[in-house]
Amino acid sequence: MAKFLFVTDLDNTLVGHDQALAELNHLLSQHRQEYGIRIVYATGRSPILYRQLKAQKHLLEPDALIAAVGTEIYLNGSDTPDPVWAERLSQKWNRDLVLAASAHFADLVPQPESEQRPFKVSFFLTQTAAAEVLPQLESLLQKQGLETKLIYSTGQDLDILPRRSDKGVAMQFLQKQWEFDSQQTVVCGDSGNDIALFSVGEERGVIVGNAQPELLQWHWSHPASYHYLAQAACAGGILEGLNHFGFLK
Ligand code: GLC
Ligand code: MG
């Protein structure tokens, strides 16, 4: 059994089905002890909301936490975001100008303060308004020379990030540091902000059975033999996918 890098989203991917989560946790901690696999959580949550989830659910201690949609990386339980990653994202990012541009759109409703991060500005945006607002906002940001990336998830959350960030590139940063290639990496997700995990390279990908329409649509329009659409929901789907790829032999 070779070691591998296990990267998973939290809400509605790893978390959402307690019994399957307990089973998966058991297998993963066994594999971590025996084969030295690495566990990474890649979440949209800020560290504040991550700690709230941790207080409610039994989560294994990850080897790294990718938080705030890939804009913050915390290694080995550290409370300080990785400075190399932060420095990289700070180039060509101007948070105040992003906020000023967003203020032109009445449909953008700011998310709670805890989710406004140094490299992430987040709003609620309805699906109906999104079709009109997203292209307009994108072109305004571009016109102003702001190098940003818009990520829309679950038909309600809009994140504006520096162009060189998302969960996928953050995952690659760890891969490089720990020397895992795409065949030794499995990524798991359910929604729009996870698409970057599946599209950045050729990692083994598990799309859980309860995935959101935006991820399913992406999956169907980008067929790849190294992506697996599970039947089961949440951690049950991850278990199914890990078995499919032979990672849990
Ligand atoms: C999490 C974050 C939120 C973000 C969403 C989608 O719910 O708390 O800020 O918009 O993920 O990425
Ligand atoms: Mg999710």
Side-chain angles (χ1 to χ4, degrees), residues 44-46 49 69 111 115 120 122-123 153 157-159 193:
R45 290 179 179 241
S46 62
L49 289 194
V69 198
Q111 287 190 11
E115 301 315 280
K120 169 175 171 287
S122 294
F123 298 96
S153 307
D157 295 319
L158 173 65
D159 302 309
N193 70 12

Side-chain angles (χ1 to χ4, degrees), residues 62-77:
D63 297 286
L65 171 70
I66 294 173
V69 198
T71 61
E72 297 170 32
I73 298 177
Y74 298 85
L75 285 159
N76 304 313

Side-chain angles (χ1 to χ4, degrees), residues 32-192:
R32 179 152 64 175
Q33 255 170 21
E34 281 176 37
Y35 310 110
I37 67 165
R38 303 257 181 151
I39 299 172
V40 174
Y41 297 151
T43 180
R45 290 179 179 241
S46 62
I48 301 151
L49 289 194
Y50 166 67
R51 282 194 289 273
Q52 278 184 18
L53 184 68
K54 225 173 103 179
Q56 292 161 357
K57 300 284 173 186
H58 177 61
L59 298 178
L60 299 174
E61 205 49 60
D63 297 286
L65 171 70
I66 294 173
V69 198
T71 61
E72 297 170 32
I73 298 177
Y74 298 85
L75 285 159
N76 304 313
S78 164
D79 286 334
T80 314
D82 186 273
V84 178
W85 187 242
E87 168 59 27
R88 207 175 286 183
L89 299 199
S90 66
Q91 289 159 31
K92 304 207 176 156
W93 169 248
N94 188 325
R95 202 173 187 284
D96 291 339
L97 290 182
V98 169
L99 278 175
S102 318
H104 289 99
F105 299 86
D107 291 307
L108 296 178
V109 177
Q111 287 190 11
E113 204 45 49
S114 73
E115 301 315 280
Q116 310 301 342
R117 309 293 300 170
F119 302 110
K120 169 175 171 287
V121 175
S122 294
F123 298 96
F124 295 119
L125 174 66
T126 64
Q127 185 93 61
T128 334
E132 208 172 298
V133 169
L134 290 179
Q136 288 179 9
L137 175 62
E138 180 123 55
S139 86
L140 180 61
L141 291 165
Q142 204 167 345
K143 236 185 263 162
Q144 301 197 345
L146 297 169
E147 298 203 0
T148 54
K149 181 180 281 181
L150 303 185
I151 299 186
Y152 189 55
S153 307
T154 336
Q156 66 165 42
D157 295 319
L158 173 65
D159 302 309
I160 311 178
L161 319 175
R163 186 161 303 157
R164 333 154 153 235
S165 61
D166 56 36
K167 290 184 179 184
V169 279
M171 181 268 299
Q172 283 184 325
F173 180 80
L174 295 172
Q175 267 181 330
K176 205 171 242 177
Q177 219 167 93
W178 294 336
E179 299 181 342
F180 284 97
D181 63 26
S182 53
Q183 286 160 26
Q184 301 167 289
T185 305
V186 60
V187 298
C188 314
D190 77 300
S191 84

